[in-house]
Amino acid sequence: MKAEIISHNGYPALSVNGEILPPMAITTMSKDKNYLRGLGEAGIRIFFVICDTQWLKPDGVTLLREATDVLLDAVPNACIVLRVGLHPPVSWAEANPDELVTYNGNHPVPIHIWTESYNAEYPGMYSLSSAKWRKDAAQALENFIEEVEKLPCAEHVIGYFLAAGNTSEWYYPKDSVLRDEGLYGDHSHAFRLEFGRVLREVYGTEEALRAAWRDSAASFEKPSIPGIEERNYTWIDAEVTRLAQSSPTPSPGNGTNVGSFLDADKHQAVADFYRAWHEGTANSIIHFAKVVKKKTAGRLITGAFYGAYGCTNFIEMGTAGAILKVLDSGVIDFLAAPGLYENRQPGGYMSQREFHESFRLRGRIFISEDDTQTHLAGLIHRENGGTYSIQDTLDVMKRDFGRNLCEDLHAWWFDMAKEGGWYDHPDILSLIRRQQDVARKAYATDRRKQNQVALIYDQDSTRYVSQRTTNDLCHLFRIHEVHRIGAPVDYYFHDDLALDNMPDYRLYVFVNVFVLTGAEREAIAAKLRRNGQVALWMYAPGFIRPDASPKLSVEHMQDLIGIRMAKTDNAWNPRLRLERPPHKALAGVDLDRLYGFVDRPILCSWERLGPKPATRLYPMFYPDDPKAEILGRFLSNGKPAVALREMDGWTSIYWGAKIVQSDILRAVARFAGCHIYSESDDCVSANRRFVSIHAKDAGLRRLRFPRPCCPYEIYQGKAYGKNVDSIELNMRLGETLTFHLDGEI
């Protein structure tokens, strides 16, 4: 079997023995032959099979054979990706205390590790940076691959999905900082070695390290671990919220923070600690992927969970800070993540956690774990997914597939029940069959999207700013607002702007781009000057320049966005109101509405119900430029909150809050010349050949197309006109309609 990621009709695709496979797969633990057969007959070819090495489970290979024998009997042409656990046995953890996450006081903390196929109490979490774990787990992985090659399923195996950490997602089960107990880590021998290796890569010499840390004793051999007091900024928002009885809120801190930001001029060691914390995990993924590539002579694909920007602690869990290193390693073909868990109910949206266009530029693929909770799941899953009937299930599965189809994402349906059965319904299997047919036909034509809006993110910024600030910008903003603007968007890291194959867009939204070197600023400027683009900057763009002194300065922001800036160091309410009359960039918005905060309820979630409380702006940044047009002001102090300045060949718009509501984005996109498919705040996905709309409520809406077309609804089998540029739809809440714009498919 030969599996690889190749360029196919414009974008990366999975090729198995020269055959391009449809993007929808499934992960299930079921051994129900009839259920598996039904999935195969519905067109599912790729099955992710959960398994463990003999190191963890002596009968791991036997269990794998039992599962694959049943699968291949039911689906003889199945292609198998082995989701293999690399966890050490408890006895290994007991025998290797130096390889466990260790807290001040030189002791680990007992932990419960849980995966789909294994759970146990450990004396401490094994370090995801441990060289000894890498060595021992790599040997176990090699032995496992050798045994797999002897099994009847061997000729069906197309790849290895590497699993470690809690829930197989490469994160630490508890925060590395146990603040309530005054504990902080990681002081382990294993992590110190990795920390030193990363510091050597970054600084080259100890002289450079000592200058950056302002510490004459700093060394690569025994790097000091920043204490809990130096990490104050990471959870400062909780203290701000507690104190928020008035505006401005008192400004908590201990001298190590500048509001929600790390004072990197004095405490660079903290940012470097978190860099190593994240890169250590990434280095392990790369290490095991090399083992697979070498052992299989490069015949099989490799992937892992890594890079979650949502539903996670961006700082402590160690999974968000080195995605580009993994993608550029040359040994990882795909990364995966479940969709975000809030507001998946009918009328809501399952946003993703990764910036998948960055994958595409590098010839890699992102795979969404669509653990879409159906009405056949247990009660807690039905409640969290808002799916109580077969109609609810079909609506959200159409919505999620419509997103994958239009955004050109790979995905697997994930049946989380041990016995399976979430998708075991004739109407669901019929739906999957239709979706696989449409996906296969879509892959046979030009897949390039040519979207006009790009959202730009930064992985380095996560370690310089509080957890809650990143959560507001990268998690809540994406869930609640982005996909309701009525225009499709693409997701990138800012590093991509310097690549030759990075497309041009009409609107760039810079989301959490706080930390930029001089060279990175020049690459952004060169991109924006090309064709009169519009840039929308959120909260604190370019506030930190790591290759300058001082590193933190509003002047760095001005150099980037072209608008003179100022700041006030207290913590302020983010609510703002737009000026009257509105600037043409904000035409059509509600001037009586308050903006800058989350004002949508969270209806379904694993974590919580009800509205999300708004955080404070700590510090508040505001335009102070007589050459800029002021478009809005903060309510708490009257400072400018929104400003626009026409630059030399491009337009710069500054938005001072961490949340931009959908109607603002829609207005700015329209101002930038982007096509707007829908004005109704429904969840819309689109590309050149498909449009999918998911209704937030019942009623009439209009769908506008960028060209005269022949819209054909793929599930109804119904044509909605010929050479039309818009159609009217009377939709019920949660209904999903997906149109092929070139007629019957």
Side-chain angles (χ1 to χ4, degrees), residues 14 21-30 32 34-50 71 74-75 78-83 158 161 305 334 367-372 374 397 404 410-417 419-425 428-429 432-433 435-436:
L14 173 59
L21 295 187
M24 295 304 297
I26 195 161
T27 300
T28 179
M29 293 171 277
S30 176
D32 184 328
N34 291 329
Y35 178 37
L36 296 171
R37 182 179 294 111
L39 291 167
E41 291 173 350
I44 298 292
R45 288 281 307 281
I46 305 171
F47 289 76
F48 283 72
V49 176
I50 296 169
L71 171 60
V75 189
C79 296
I80 297 171
V81 179
L82 297 178
R83 182 166 165 163
I158 64 170
F161 185 61
F305 286 124
F334 68 93
I367 304 183
S368 170
E369 180 173 86
D370 285 348
D371 48 347
T372 306
T374 75
M397 288 187 68
N404 297 339
H410 289 69
W412 65 69
W413 303 114
F414 186 18
D415 188 334
M416 296 175 67
E419 300 79 16
W422 278 18
Y423 305 96
D424 194 7
H425 188 286
I428 296 176
L429 295 173
I432 292 174
R433 185 179 302 109
Q435 291 174 339
Q436 291 294 81

Side-chain angles (χ1 to χ4, degrees), residues 83-300:
R83 182 166 165 163
V84 57
L86 300 171
H87 322 282
V90 173
S91 59
W92 183 94
E94 292 170 340
N96 292 278
D98 286 349
E99 310 304 315
L100 307 181
V101 175
T102 304
Y103 298 86
N104 53 316
N106 291 321
H107 65 88
V109 172
I111 204 76
H112 185 88
I113 296 178
W114 181 91
T115 75
E116 300 83 358
S117 60
Y118 177 78
N119 67 91
E121 296 291 335
Y122 280 70
M125 174 62 193
Y126 61 96
S127 170
L128 295 173
S129 297
S130 166
K132 189 173 193 312
W133 169 61
R134 288 174 186 159
K135 178 177 179 295
D136 293 347
Q139 184 60 60
L141 179 58
E142 288 189 23
N143 295 342
F144 183 74
I145 294 172
E146 289 175 1
E147 293 302 314
V148 168
E149 292 296 322
K150 302 174 186 176
L151 298 179
C153 69
E155 61 183 25
H156 293 265
V157 173
I158 64 170
Y160 283 81
F161 185 61
L162 306 167
N166 207 36
T167 65
S168 300
E169 294 176 84
W170 292 91
Y171 67 83
Y172 291 92
K174 285 187 179 179
D175 288 356
S176 65
V177 180
L178 300 177
R179 296 183 294 275
D180 293 341
E181 302 170 37
L183 300 178
Y184 62 91
D186 178 8
H187 292 257
S188 70
H189 174 70
F191 178 72
R192 283 186 190 272
L193 290 177
E194 190 76 356
F195 194 7
R197 285 191 289 268
V198 171
L199 291 174
R200 193 181 299 274
E201 290 178 6
V202 172
Y203 292 104
T205 67
E206 288 188 337
E207 288 74 16
L209 171 67
R210 290 165 182 168
W213 283 18
R214 298 186 176 190
D215 180 0
S216 60
S219 71
F220 297 142
E221 299 305 318
K222 290 194 67 176
S224 59
I225 305 301
I228 194 170
E229 67 285 348
E230 290 184 87
R231 308 183 200 182
N232 186 53
Y233 74 102
T234 65
W235 59 86
I236 195 71
D237 295 298
E239 180 68 7
V240 171
T241 301
R242 186 183 69 81
L243 296 171
Q245 302 300 317
S246 61
S247 204
T249 300
S251 307
N254 60 3
T256 66
N257 64 301
V258 177
S260 298
F261 295 87
L262 170 70
D263 187 348
D265 285 302
K266 300 176 182 177
H267 300 279
Q268 180 61 37
V270 181
D272 289 336
F273 167 83
Y274 283 122
R275 177 174 187 152
W277 187 243
H278 288 250
E279 285 199 12
T281 300
N283 289 338
S284 291
I285 292 172
I286 294 169
H287 174 80
F288 294 120
K290 287 180 178 178
V291 171
V292 174
K293 290 294 187 182
K294 182 178 180 181
K295 195 69 177 175
T296 65
R299 294 182 296 105
L300 307 183

Side-chain angles (χ1 to χ4, degrees), residues 265-580:
D265 285 302
K266 300 176 182 177
H267 300 279
Q268 180 61 37
V270 181
D272 289 336
F273 167 83
Y274 283 122
R275 177 174 187 152
W277 187 243
H278 288 250
E279 285 199 12
T281 300
N283 289 338
S284 291
I285 292 172
I286 294 169
H287 174 80
F288 294 120
K290 287 180 178 178
V291 171
V292 174
K293 290 294 187 182
K294 182 178 180 181
K295 195 69 177 175
T296 65
R299 294 182 296 105
L300 307 183
I301 59 171
T302 58
F305 286 124
Y306 187 84
Y309 276 73
C311 296
T312 189
N313 185 309
F314 302 96
I315 302 173
E316 311 295 354
M317 284 186 170
T319 63
I323 301 171
L324 294 179
K325 183 171 188 177
V326 175
L327 294 179
D328 291 334
S329 67
V331 293
I332 286 289
D333 298 290
F334 68 93
L335 292 176
L340 300 174
Y341 285 105
E342 293 172 8
N343 279 3
R344 288 187 178 188
Q345 76 285 342
Y349 198 75
M350 188 167 78
S351 295
Q352 297 303 296
R353 307 192 197 190
E354 305 263 16
F355 311 133
H356 30 268
E357 302 304 323
S358 291
F359 290 57
R360 214 182 309 279
L361 291 180
R362 292 163 173 79
R364 304 290 184 259
I365 61 174
F366 165 68
I367 304 183
S368 170
E369 180 173 86
D370 285 348
D371 48 347
T372 306
Q373 286 115 36
T374 75
H375 70 292
L376 299 175
L379 179 59
I380 186 173
H381 293 286
R382 297 199 304 273
E383 291 178 340
N384 289 327
T387 48
Y388 298 99
S389 68
I390 181 61
Q391 188 62 64
D392 293 336
T393 294
L394 298 178
D395 285 339
V396 298
M397 288 187 68
K398 288 178 181 179
R399 177 197 66 197
D400 297 346
F401 175 77
R403 177 206 62 225
N404 297 339
L405 178 68
C406 294
E407 296 187 22
D408 201 85
L409 301 184
H410 289 69
W412 65 69
W413 303 114
F414 186 18
D415 188 334
M416 296 175 67
K418 186 174 182 180
E419 300 79 16
W422 278 18
Y423 305 96
D424 194 7
H425 188 286
D427 291 348
I428 296 176
L429 295 173
S430 177
L431 175 66
I432 292 174
R433 185 179 302 109
R434 176 58 175 155
Q435 291 174 339
Q436 291 294 81
D437 179 57
V438 170
R440 184 171 57 254
K441 291 174 179 176
Y443 262 49
T445 62
D446 190 343
R447 296 160 56 207
R448 291 171 293 182
K449 293 185 289 185
Q450 296 185 338
N451 287 346
Q452 299 171 324
V453 181
L455 269 65
I456 311 297
Y457 297 80
D458 177 37
Q459 64 178 1
D460 294 338
S461 292
T462 56
R463 61 178 178 270
Y464 285 88
V465 71
S466 69
Q467 153 70 14
R468 181 59 196 276
T469 295
T470 302
N471 188 72
D472 286 350
L473 288 155
C474 297
H475 177 88
L476 293 177
F477 170 54
R478 186 168 181 175
I479 287 175
H480 294 290
E481 305 300 335
V482 171
H483 293 281
R484 297 186 182 275
I485 70 176
V489 305
D490 289 340
Y491 294 90
Y492 294 93
F493 288 108
H494 75 78
D495 312 70
D496 304 323
L497 296 171
L499 300 180
D500 292 338
N501 60 342
M502 167 78 179
D504 290 331
Y505 291 82
R506 293 185 178 182
L507 172 62
Y508 296 87
V509 182
F510 291 88
V511 183
N512 73 323
V513 185
F514 306 146
V515 182
L516 295 169
T517 65
E520 290 166 343
R521 293 162 191 265
E522 291 175 4
I524 291 173
K527 194 70 171 177
L528 293 179
R529 295 189 191 111
R530 287 187 182 180
N531 300 303
Q533 286 97 336
V534 176
L536 177 64
W537 312 92
M538 295 179 65
Y539 185 47
F543 178 49
I544 301 175
R545 179 170 172 172
D547 55 349
S549 182
K551 294 177 180 178
L552 281 67
S553 172
V554 291
E555 293 182 2
H556 299 330
M557 297 175 65
Q558 176 180 335
D559 291 343
L560 176 67
I561 72 175
I563 298 173
R564 194 174 74 190
M565 299 295 296
K567 71 179 174 73
T568 173
D569 288 330
N570 286 338
W572 297 84
N573 192 303
R575 299 188 180 207
L576 63 94
R577 178 170 280 150
L578 301 177
E579 297 280 83
R580 297 173 185 267

